[in-house]
Amino acid sequence: MTRDNGKRRPAEPSGRPLRLTPAETIPLNRIITSHSHENFNRCLQCRTCAAACPFSSAMDIKPNQVLRMAQLGLAERLLHSSTIWICVGCHTCTSFCPMAINIPAVMDALRALSRERGIEPAEPNILNFHRQVIDSIHRHGRTHKLGVMMRYKLTSGELLSDVDAGLRMLKKGKLELLPSTVNNLKQVQGLFEEPGK
Ligand code: SF4
Ligand code: SF4
């Protein structure tokens, strides 16, 4: 403790001061809160989410770090990270979090923000997969798994990977050869239209 005008105040923390570059000081905290409807400022940094996440080892920024960086407005690093694409939205982290923070909603908000800003995704194949799934729902009102896999492979240039697994799934009847379409396709497709158009 040191004294200032006779009052006790905590000693300055030692170590390198945290400096934010101008590009990183955007009001990310406010933007994510409005996108995700989640108050992630409640995070205790207990790191339970990082320990529980089944994909944590593949992430360049752990889930608890994502929240801390979002609090600090470190937009550039977050929006260019692999983590926001690797998260599969399984909610394991939320179910273990002592504050029940909806981390997948924060990840969704970060992905949306990254697309809004036209940022090249760190994991383009994952974005491509999302696109093929959404496209299948738009065409048929539901996903046609074989179609999604074929389109993904054609567009990602990985035509021959996982062929064995695909053939085994076909043999076991896990993949339908032809797509089936929901009864009211127009209603589903209406969900894709922007309001007012
Ligand atoms: S488990 Fe919850 S409180 Fe703990 S670090 Fe993760 S988000 Fe924060
Ligand atoms: S929702 Fe995302 S961050 Fe949370 S446990 Fe699943 S993959 Fe990990």
Side-chain angles (χ1 to χ4, degrees):
M1 291 278 182
T2 57
R3 286 188 176 274
D4 186 7
N5 294 334
K7 289 182 190 159
R8 285 164 72 82
R9 63 178 168 80
E12 291 294 325
S14 59
R16 216 157 52 86
L18 180 66
R19 294 192 198 288
L20 306 181
T21 66
E24 292 170 330
T25 53
I26 65 161
L28 185 70
N29 194 317
R30 190 162 44 80
I31 296 171
I32 298 175
T33 303
S34 82
H35 266 74
S36 67
H37 307 289
E38 179 55 276
N39 178 8
F40 53 90
N41 292 317
R42 297 179 297 127
C43 173
L44 307 168
Q45 282 302 310
C46 66
R47 294 190 286 182
T48 304
C49 50
C53 172
F55 295 93
S56 192
S57 61
M59 293 175 170
D60 52 356
I61 302 172
K62 306 299 175 201
N64 64 299
Q65 294 171 327
V66 167
L67 296 192
R68 177 61 92 217
M69 290 169 81
Q71 290 166 349
L72 294 172
L74 301 177
E76 289 301 308
R77 282 186 237 168
L78 279 177
L79 298 182
H80 287 90
S81 73
S82 287
T83 294
I84 62 173
W85 296 103
I86 285 174
C87 170
V88 297
C90 64
H91 284 262
T92 308
C93 48
T94 308
S95 65
F96 281 95
C97 172
M99 304 302 286
I101 294 175
N102 189 347
I103 299 174
V106 173
M107 299 286 193
D108 275 345
L110 288 165
R111 280 193 290 268
L113 198 54
S114 123
R115 296 314 300 146
E116 272 172 28
R117 297 192 174 183
I119 291 171
E120 195 61 36
E123 302 288 340
N125 280 347
I126 296 177
L127 174 61
N128 182 19
F129 183 75
H130 284 300
R131 283 201 176 115
Q132 301 313 329
V133 170
I134 294 294
D135 186 56
S136 183
I137 294 170
H138 189 253
R139 282 164 190 260
H140 312 296
R142 58 167 65 110
T143 49
H144 174 230
K145 295 186 192 72
L146 185 60
V148 168
M149 283 167 62
M150 293 306 292
R151 284 171 187 274
Y152 169 77
K153 299 231 161 267
L154 283 170
T155 49
S156 64
E158 294 186 7
L159 203 56
L160 297 178
S161 64
D162 307 319
V163 171
D164 288 354
L167 288 175
R168 277 202 303 275
M169 287 173 79
L170 264 176
K171 238 171 152 179
K172 289 187 176 176
K174 302 281 184 195
L175 297 174
E176 287 178 351
L177 277 178
L178 296 175
S180 57
T181 301
V182 294
N183 289 336
N184 198 339
L185 181 60
K186 283 261 172 278
Q187 200 172 20
V188 176
Q189 288 175 336
L191 300 171
F192 290 81
E193 286 166 17
E194 284 182 42
K197 285 200 173 171

